[in-house]
Amino acid sequence: MSADSPRSQSCTCIAPINIAVIKYWGKSDEDQIIPLNDSISLTLDTDYMYTKTTATISTELTKDSIILNNEEASGDGVRFQNCLSEIRKLAASSKHASTVEKSKLKVAIVSQNNFPTKAGLASSASGYACLVFTLAQLFELESHKSELSALARRGSGSACRSLSGGFVQWFHESQPCVARPIAEAEHWPQLRCLVAVVSNTSKAVGSTEGMSRSVKTSKLLEYRIKHVVRDRVEEMKMAILQKDFVKFAELTMQDSNQFHAICLDTYPPLFYMNSTSQAIIQLVHRYNEIRQNIKVAYTFDAGPNAVLFMEEAELNRFASVFHAFFGSIPHESFFRGKIPDPVDSTKDVEALGPDKALKGQVQYTIVCHVGQGPKNIDPTG
Amino acid sequence: MSADSPRSQSCTCIAPINIAVIKYWGKSDEDQIIPLNDSISLTLDTDYMYTKTTATISTELTKDSIILNNEEASGDGVRFQNCLSEIRKLAASSKHASTVEKSKLKVAIVSQNNFPTKAGLASSASGYACLVFTLAQLFELESHKSELSALARRGSGSACRSLSGGFVQWFHESQPCVARPIAEAEHWPQLRCLVAVVSNTSKAVGSTEGMSRSVKTSKLLEYRIKHVVRDRVEEMKMAILQKDFVKFAELTMQDSNQFHAICLDTYPPLFYMNSTSQAIIQLVHRYNEIRQNIKVAYTFDAGPNAVLFMEEAELNRFASVFHAFFGSIPHESFFRGKIPDPVDSTKDVEALGPDKALKGQVQYTIVCHVGQGPKNIDPTG
């Protein structure tokens, strides 16, 4: 308990977002949020994008409350209550009297994403991961790794992947259904990631409704689950362990495309990518052609924003080309995070065939790398 | 032989385009053009869209030649030569001496599409159907129906479907591989079709290359062939025979979406639809929602243009809504063919939520119906 009041205690943590390279789409259990297939993701560093959450317990609080991005959110949201009540159960059954005591107190949550909202960057993964991690710190439940992963999953499926750093696999058949790292963040230090924020965000059907519609109507989804993903997960794991960029890139692009193919085979169809997303895909394939090897990969979640992967050696060259095609603001404003060195891209742009209509279609791009899981940022944490 | 010269003869015919409602995508034999699955199409009337071909044989011709849309085309194109040499073989083996005699003469072909070129409206189906039909008339081979269907197929796969009027099935396992009508054009006279020419045509990968790439790389295509299309063909046949518009519409939309899903699952992916195509799809689903029934269906081939089906009772109402959303020229210029009666669409447009960004995204719309197969248009034909 903090010095100012022995009857109240608070804890502040940050948690990262994660990007799936083998996609999760479709649940076998809507309430428990059990996915139909394994997925693999990369946890992105928290240098620029993270959720920050402060949780406070106090004898003076009379009800649970949550403030999300400066707005009071309804504390009785089903998923929030699920998370909170499950974590309280866990605390109540603890061997430690202090944890049992804390489980009886009301909780005040203040949570904020430091990355731009309304940019279509899924924040529920980092949000729920941060909520669960922060409460676990507060209740001294850090050792219950499997239970915490399962708890985050109940908030937002892919949140369980944000509880670990590095390269993470979410196992659909494990008991409980949890995510665990395949490799630590340090395993592949050359890997770089550009998160391209596409300006013309289309109004998408939410993921929960979208995947439920796919499960009901897409004839191709069943095949993907039964005959495609299992092998791909194994191949992807191998590509990551061997740091085989070409294989990693190929599988990443193919799985992103197949996920969006399933969305299109859904009835009525789901469109998450827009014409800018298509243009980015076409540029990446053309770029790889002129480089005579696969140097860059794309992946798209349930929105138009692109996430691009490459190795460090390619970053400056590709970033300059990408800026030349899609940026309408200066290089140093177009990139956020660790700004790549600008390179003369005239020859590449000529070889790729410039298309001026694309200018300004990407608002800005966040440069990041594979990073660690959530952490307590309290001075004493 | 015509009166002016006993040693030369010519014949002029027209042939319709056709629109697949169960799509053909993928060949089991590239040279023979044997499709991987059955497909079903509707032959559209020739009131507005057709290919017109004149074929001339003469002792005075020293080589075969072909003029396509006023431009001399290479007469030694593989597919053109395939068609011509096969039809000559057929003629040479005829019981009729006159046909055998004609088979030895050189041929001059003049072919023209009366519908706008560069509008992304596939013209190879009507083109090759017209070529084969016209030569068959000239060589008196009309009775060889199966052989002619197989011949047209060698020119352009879906051309075999344009040799018949009405509702047509192309059988991938028949020997020879041919198309035959399921029902005549008169079977379902209420059916109407709007061909919407989308202005921003994207540069697509040609169908031949595209489908070959899909066969090699799409994991989902194999499943479609083995487990989806067979049942859908039977359901579609039943929907057509029973004139069940709701079922027909649902299957048409689902199959169009699945075809484009396969294109997206192809590596590198194929994008044939653009943002206007997506907007048309979304408008149709929303329109069906406010009409509380499926009143309109869409289908898209390997390009951004939409083909919309509805029954006559819905035509004026939907056409006016469609014009309000996508047209930037007056109603009577926006529609070609039999112009629908304009209806006050204010309430519908309000219910659908107007989106002014769509204005002008469709250049114009051709109104048509299910029609007859090719015909000889010579005065004596």
Side-chain angles (χ1 to χ4, degrees), chain A residues 146-168:
Chain A
S146 288
E147 287 92 337
L148 297 179
S149 179
L151 266 168
R153 191 196 79 227
R154 294 291 300 278
S156 169
S158 57
C160 67
R161 296 188 310 229
S162 271
L163 278 182
S164 304
F167 302 81
V168 180

Side-chain angles (χ1 to χ4, degrees), chain B residues 210-237:
Chain B
M211 66 176 83
S212 154
R213 200 195 285 177
S214 292
V215 172
K216 282 188 204 120
T217 63
S218 169
K219 307 233 179 201
L220 301 181
L221 179 59
E222 198 189 330
Y223 183 73
R224 165 172 166 79
I225 302 297
K226 280 194 186 159
H227 299 288
V228 182
V229 191
R230 204 175 291 262
D231 290 349
R232 262 191 199 165
V233 162
E234 292 312 309
E235 287 180 79
M236 179 59 92
K237 201 187 292 185

Side-chain angles (χ1 to χ4, degrees), chain B residues 262-323:
Chain B
I262 298 298
C263 291
L264 191 41
D265 188 52
T266 298
Y267 184 80
L270 306 164
F271 297 110
Y272 289 119
M273 297 199 293
N274 65 17
S275 57
T276 305
S277 316
Q278 287 187 6
I280 293 173
I281 288 176
Q282 281 163 333
L283 179 74
V284 168
H285 283 292
R286 292 210 315 270
Y287 183 85
N288 288 336
E289 259 170 50
I290 66 158
R291 296 288 286 121
Q292 298 180 310
N293 202 350
I294 299 182
K295 295 287 188 183
V296 181
Y298 54 77
T299 188
F300 293 80
D301 280 346
N305 302 308
V307 177
L308 304 164
F309 296 107
M310 66 216 70
E311 290 194 292
E312 195 180 8
E314 198 70 20
L315 177 66
N316 293 339
R317 182 166 176 173
F318 179 76
S320 298
V321 166
F322 192 70
H323 173 254

Side-chain angles (χ1 to χ4, degrees), chain A residues 3-262:
Chain A
D4 56 332
S5 162
R7 303 171 73 82
S8 92
Q9 190 178 2
S10 75
C11 176
T12 301
C13 302
I14 58 171
I17 67 164
N18 72 79
I19 301 295
V21 289
I22 300 292
K23 301 292 187 191
Y24 149 53
W25 195 252
K27 303 182 186 84
S28 61
D29 185 318
E30 287 276 343
D31 174 54
Q32 291 289 320
I33 311 195
I34 309 293
L36 280 164
N37 60 283
D38 282 17
S39 53
I40 294 180
S41 63
L42 277 54
T43 297
L44 299 188
D45 69 80
T46 49
D47 292 359
Y48 192 83
M49 285 185 285
Y50 56 81
T51 297
K52 179 169 157 184
T53 300
T54 300
T56 305
I57 43 174
S58 164
T59 52
E60 285 171 28
L61 291 171
T62 56
K63 65 180 182 78
D64 298 326
S65 66
I66 184 160
I67 293 172
L68 286 178
N69 293 321
N70 302 322
E71 282 184 26
E72 190 147 7
S74 160
D76 51 16
V78 176
R79 291 189 177 186
F80 171 71
Q81 282 301 340
N82 275 350
C83 270
L84 198 53
S85 73
E86 291 292 323
I87 213 160
R88 276 199 176 111
K89 270 190 221 164
L90 200 60
S93 68
S94 171
K95 291 173 195 162
H96 304 285
S98 67
T99 295
V100 174
E101 207 51 43
K102 288 182 198 171
S103 77
K104 296 170 185 163
L105 302 181
K106 297 294 177 192
V107 182
I109 309 285
V110 178
S111 188
Q112 181 109 25
N113 301 321
N114 88 320
F115 53 91
T117 50
K118 291 190 186 168
L121 297 167
S123 54
S124 58
S126 57
Y128 273 101
C130 208
L131 176 72
V132 168
F133 184 82
T134 309
L135 290 171
Q137 293 278 310
L138 199 57
F139 291 154
E140 296 157 88
L141 297 166
E142 302 94 320
S143 62
H144 296 253
K145 289 213 163 156
S146 288
E147 287 92 337
L148 297 179
S149 179
L151 266 168
R153 191 196 79 227
R154 294 291 300 278
S156 169
S158 57
C160 67
R161 296 188 310 229
S162 271
L163 278 182
S164 304
F167 302 81
V168 180
Q169 181 168 358
W170 178 12
F171 299 85
H172 76 293
E173 289 177 326
S174 65
Q175 285 292 346
C177 175
V178 297
R180 281 192 297 266
I182 297 168
E184 298 301 320
E186 297 77 9
H187 164 68
W188 196 349
Q190 300 86 354
L191 208 57
R192 289 291 172 275
C193 172
L194 299 181
V195 179
V197 178
V198 170
S199 56
N200 182 20
T201 54
S202 60
K203 276 176 210 154
V205 177
S207 300
T208 302
E209 191 200 322
M211 68 176 81
S212 153
R213 200 194 285 175
S214 292
V215 172
K216 282 189 202 118
T217 63
S218 169
K219 307 231 180 204
L220 301 181
L221 178 58
E222 199 189 328
Y223 182 72
R224 166 172 166 77
I225 303 296
K226 282 194 185 158
H227 300 288
V228 182
V229 190
R230 204 174 291 264
D231 290 349
R232 263 191 198 164
V233 163
E234 292 311 309
E235 287 180 79
M236 180 59 91
K237 202 187 292 186
M238 199 57 71
I240 289 170
L241 291 176
Q242 296 177 343
K243 295 184 261 185
D244 177 346
F245 183 78
V246 169
K247 191 68 193 165
F248 167 82
E250 219 169 54
L251 289 167
T252 296
M253 294 189 274
Q254 286 169 343
D255 207 64
S256 174
N257 293 337
Q258 188 168 88
F259 156 48
H260 291 279
I262 297 298

